[in-house]
Amino acid sequence: MQATAYTYDPSDHSGSVLLDDGTPVPFDGAAFLAGGLRLLRPGQRVRIETEGEAAAPRVTLVTLQTF
């Protein structure tokens, strides 16, 4: 699934992304580190993987969108 980086806290690697419908979804440091990233800037397009219910997804991976 694709999203846009919205917030990022480099001290604990947590933040949030915006889904294409504008819904903010938080992620924790484990999801960020699983993607192998070193930094995330607001506005970057990212690929995320989620688990759980569609109404309250939990982000398990954040990485850069590649084509």
Side-chain angles (χ1 to χ4, degrees):
M1 173 185 305
Q2 295 181 26
T4 302
Y6 184 51
T7 64
Y8 174 67
D9 183 350
S11 66
D12 66 359
H13 305 295
S14 66
S16 63
V17 297
L18 292 176
L19 301 181
D20 289 341
D21 67 1
T23 304
V25 179
F27 63 85
D28 59 18
F32 178 83
L33 295 173
L37 299 176
R38 295 187 298 171
L39 178 66
L40 191 60
R41 293 184 186 101
Q44 281 183 301
R45 261 327 246 182
V46 294
R47 184 176 66 84
I48 61 172
E49 291 182 8
T50 62
E51 64 181 23
E53 298 180 25
R58 185 175 89 73
V59 176
T60 58
L61 175 102
V62 179
T63 191
L64 292 181
Q65 177 63 37
T66 57
F67 298 100

